[in-house]
Amino acid sequence: IFLLNLIVYFLFSNYFLLLLFLHLLYCLVLILLDNLYLYYIFVEKDGSLNGCGNCEQLTEGVINAEVSEEIYNSFIEDKLRYVYSSGKIIVNPNYENEKQEFFIKERINEIYSELDALDIKRIRAVCEDEIKDEKTGETWLDYYNSQVYDLRVELASLQSQL
């Protein structure tokens, strides 16, 4: 105890050494906390994965599945890569199909947004009835209708893939 008191007195009597001691203590705490960092993926009652985090989610009915840092970081990059099965987070066996379906649905939503924007332009073109190209005689309405046609062909093709 005397030795401990002597060390504390010596450290606290010198301001520089006190700062050094506090810095070393701070670094030690960071190292210990880094090793204790936990990673969770949150699972709903139906087995769907709804997010991830470094602390448990307290929502009733949510399963906090503890995972490795590697799986956690991979899940952040691509949420379709893993599924919950038999009480574990595992690599999704249907990953490629689900990823392709996700991109198709995403593109379908983009097409619907583009069609909505073109509908507004077509309404304006009907009201204003201006010529877009003097050489061909194409009106703005014809131009927008051709864009809508192309989008509808792409939409039908994508919907047939689902």
Side-chain angles (χ1 to χ4, degrees):
I1 298 224
F2 174 74
L3 183 59
L4 183 61
N5 284 336
L6 185 61
I7 292 171
V8 170
Y9 176 74
F10 178 72
L11 287 177
F12 290 102
S13 64
N14 190 334
Y15 183 71
F16 175 74
L17 290 176
L18 172 64
L19 291 177
L20 181 64
F21 174 75
L22 291 175
H23 178 71
L24 290 174
L25 185 63
Y26 174 74
C27 290
L28 180 64
V29 168
L30 285 179
I31 290 169
L32 290 174
L33 286 178
D34 189 43
N35 291 337
L36 297 175
Y37 219 43
L38 300 176
Y39 302 95
Y40 297 98
I41 293 179
F42 310 129
V43 183
E44 294 290 335
K45 288 180 184 178
D46 64 357
S48 63
L49 308 180
N50 74 350
C52 59
N54 296 111
C55 58
E56 292 185 1
Q57 189 177 35
L58 300 177
T59 307
E60 187 175 326
V62 172
I63 299 168
N64 296 291
E66 191 173 331
V67 295
S68 69
E69 182 178 4
E70 179 184 337
I71 291 175
Y72 176 83
N73 290 331
S74 179
F75 179 77
I76 289 174
E77 290 176 16
D78 188 356
K79 299 196 180 347
L80 296 174
R81 189 170 292 167
Y82 296 97
V83 294
Y84 185 72
S85 178
S86 304
K88 296 180 187 177
I89 302 292
I90 61 169
V91 175
N92 186 351
N94 299 323
Y95 173 69
E96 292 299 324
N97 293 337
E98 288 182 16
K99 188 173 182 177
Q100 183 176 357
E101 183 178 324
F102 173 79
F103 285 124
I104 289 172
K105 288 180 179 179
E106 193 173 83
R107 178 61 186 142
I108 286 172
N109 288 335
E110 289 173 5
I111 289 173
Y112 280 131
S113 295
E114 292 175 33
L115 287 172
D116 287 342
L118 283 170
D119 284 345
I120 293 170
K121 292 178 181 180
R122 291 191 315 165
I123 290 169
R124 184 173 184 180
V126 167
C127 295
E128 294 179 358
D129 196 29
E130 292 182 13
I131 303 291
K132 178 186 181 297
D133 189 354
E134 293 290 331
K135 294 177 185 174
T136 62
E138 180 183 38
T139 64
W140 282 102
L141 182 60
D142 295 333
Y143 173 72
Y144 293 138
N145 282 339
S146 69
Q147 288 183 331
V148 167
Y149 176 79
D150 294 341
L151 287 172
R152 293 228 179 261
V153 167
E154 182 182 357
L155 181 64
S157 170
L158 291 173
Q159 286 175 332
S160 69
Q161 294 177 29
L162 291 178

